[in-house]
């Protein structure tokens, strides 16, 4: 296995006020394959260390104006340079001097005249330790970042499932209440009342089914279990099919569905995902469009993408509402123009499925005038 020192060509800062010493150390370190930079006094050493960020510093103890001990203390007090290992170069080998060096922050010392083998061994040992510490620090930073991101995701999903539980409770409570009414008061109800209750039950059942269908699709997307099989799709053909399935809902509010997608308009997308996206966008438009309104499905090819738009003449949205509709941790559901209840999940699912295909979704809206959702998809 290669030693850590061999993975990176280390930069060593040599600090000495005697040119002859600098020359000797330069020759020794150059022969060992190190990159070298120099300083001739303590002040210059601090400046070079801050700019060059060496991997190790060889620092002479006895220098004019600022001793090596003083320079070492300053370097160890600065956040940028405090992790750089410092080895003192000294002609003194007494215990007091050695202790003073360690107290200043040095990791080791070498004495003059230099024992080349010993000095190189010490340098390599501390460089290996320093590089190992650097890797540990970097790994810890990544772990901290991943932990923070994971905590954010968990918090978002906790909020999301709390919202879903609330949305499920409403329709279920209503459904249970209606069935109880039928059971307990069946003999006292007339035909019209039974029909009214049955319609309400049907509406609750549809809402529950829509919520569960979207929730299942979204959870499969999060788990990576939705297969992405892009093919060349005739957008005009798939538009006709989706609109025909939703036409009954539009008729209940006398809403006109317009399909202006030209024939032979092709996109490169997953057929199932595109069906789900268009179904949700058009259903959402029906919900927030008033009686006798209009919803238009259109497409425009621009360079290498196709922009598909669903526009309505509905009630529109505020900027605050637009900022919330794609967030899973924010409950944003409002009653439709005919008191229709939404799941709050359809647009979140649309965004997921669009981005899974390398596309984008955007929305523009004006209060009282309507909303347009535009998705981008690649063309063949």
């Amino acid at each position: 296995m290669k030693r850590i020192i061999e993975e990176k060509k280390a930069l060593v800062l040599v600090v000495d006020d005697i040119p002859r010493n600098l020359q000797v150390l330069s020759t020794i370190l150059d022969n060992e394959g190190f990159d070298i930079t120099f300083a001739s006094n303590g002040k210059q050493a601090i400046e070079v260390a801050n700019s060059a960020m060496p991997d190790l510093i060889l620092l002479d103890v006895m220098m004019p104006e600022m001793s090596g001990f003083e320079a070492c203390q300053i370097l160890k007090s600065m956040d940028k340079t405090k992790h750089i290992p410092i080895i003192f170069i000294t002609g003194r080998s007494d215990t007091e001097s050695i202790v003073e060096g360690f107290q200043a922050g040095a990791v080791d010392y070498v004495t003059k005249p230099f024992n080349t083998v010993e000095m190189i061994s010490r340098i390599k040992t501390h460089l290996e330790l320093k590089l190992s510490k650097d890797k540990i620090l970097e790994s810890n930073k990544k772990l901290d970042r991943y932990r923070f991101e994971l905590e954010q995701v968990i918090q978002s999903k906790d909020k999301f499932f709390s919202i879903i539980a609330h949305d499920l409770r409403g329709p279920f409570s209503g459904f249970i209440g209606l069935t109880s009414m039928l059971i307990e008061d069946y003999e006292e109800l007339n035909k019209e009342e039974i029909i009214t209750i049955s319609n309400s039950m049907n509406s609750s059942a549809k809402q529950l089914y829509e919520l569960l269908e979207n929730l299942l699709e979204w959870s499969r997307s999060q788990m990576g279990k939705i297969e992405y099989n892009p093919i060349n799709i005739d957008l005009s053909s798939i538009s006709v099919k989706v609109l025909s399935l939703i036409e009954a809902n539009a008729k209940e509010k006398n809403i006109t569905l317009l399909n202006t997608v030209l024939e032979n308009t092709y996109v490169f997308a997953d057929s199932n995902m595109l069906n789900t996206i268009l179904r949700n966008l058009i259903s959402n438009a029906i919900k927030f469009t008033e009686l006798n309104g209009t919803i238009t499905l259109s497409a425009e090819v621009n360079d290498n993408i196709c922009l598909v738009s669903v526009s309505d003449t509905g009630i529109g949205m505020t900027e605050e509402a637009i900022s919330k509709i794609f967030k899973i941790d924010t409950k944003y559901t409002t009653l439709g123009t005919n008191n229709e209840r939404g799941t709050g999940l359809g647009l979140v699912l649309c965004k997921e499925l669009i981005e899974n295909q390398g596309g984008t979704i955007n929305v523009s809206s004006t209060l009282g005038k309507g909303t347009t959702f535009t998705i981008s998809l690649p063309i063949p």
Side-chain angles (χ1 to χ4, degrees), residues 288-290 312-317 335 337 365-371:
F288 293 107
T289 299
E290 294 169 334
D312 63 57
T313 57
I315 58 176
M317 288 185 287
L335 292 177
T337 56
S365 186
T366 304
L367 276 175
K369 293 186 178 180
T371 301

Side-chain angles (χ1 to χ4, degrees), residues 46-151:
I46 294 167
E47 293 174 354
V48 174
N50 269 285
S51 59
M53 289 302 295
D55 295 294
L56 183 139
I57 300 173
L58 285 177
L59 180 60
D60 187 27
V61 171
M62 302 301 293
M63 292 185 294
E65 296 183 15
M66 181 185 292
S67 72
F69 295 141
E70 292 173 303
C72 180
Q73 288 174 335
I74 293 172
L75 287 167
K76 289 299 175 180
S77 69
M78 302 168 69
D79 286 338
K80 192 175 180 182
T81 57
K82 66 182 181 181
H83 297 297
I84 302 173
I86 296 175
I87 298 177
F88 276 127
I89 306 168
T90 177
R92 301 159 60 185
S93 58
D94 58 284
T95 303
E96 185 178 342
S97 298
I98 294 170
V99 170
E100 186 178 358
F102 285 132
Q103 288 177 338
V107 294
D108 210 341
Y109 71 97
V110 292
T111 56
K112 302 175 185 176
F114 307 123
N115 181 316
T116 301
V117 174
E118 178 189 357
M119 182 176 67
I120 294 300
S121 177
R122 290 175 185 266
I123 289 173
K124 286 186 176 182
T125 296
H126 289 294
L127 279 173
E128 287 182 345
L129 289 172
K130 195 261 183 182
L131 292 174
S132 295
K133 288 179 181 177
D134 287 347
K135 288 187 176 183
I136 291 171
L137 287 172
E138 184 61 30
S139 296
N140 287 339
K141 287 179 182 178
K142 288 181 179 179
L143 286 173
D144 288 340
R145 186 167 63 251
Y146 294 152
R147 182 167 55 247
F148 175 77
E149 291 172 355
L150 181 59
E151 287 172 353

Side-chain angles (χ1 to χ4, degrees), residues 250-315:
K251 282 184 177 179
E252 291 179 6
K253 298 174 74 172
N254 199 32
I255 292 173
T256 301
L257 298 178
L258 296 179
N259 183 7
T260 65
V261 179
L262 299 177
E263 291 185 2
N264 298 319
T265 300
Y266 284 90
V267 293
F268 188 66
D270 182 282
S271 179
N272 292 328
M273 289 185 182
L274 186 55
N275 261 304
T276 301
I277 292 163
L278 293 178
R279 171 175 55 80
N280 271 288
L281 291 179
I282 298 169
S283 296
N284 193 67
I286 291 172
K287 175 184 171 184
F288 293 107
T289 299
E290 294 169 334
L291 298 176
N292 306 312
T294 302
I295 295 172
T296 304
L297 179 60
S298 60
E300 175 187 354
V301 176
N302 186 2
D303 294 331
N304 293 323
I305 61 172
C306 181
L307 300 175
V308 184
S309 298
V310 176
S311 303
D312 63 57
T313 57
I315 58 176

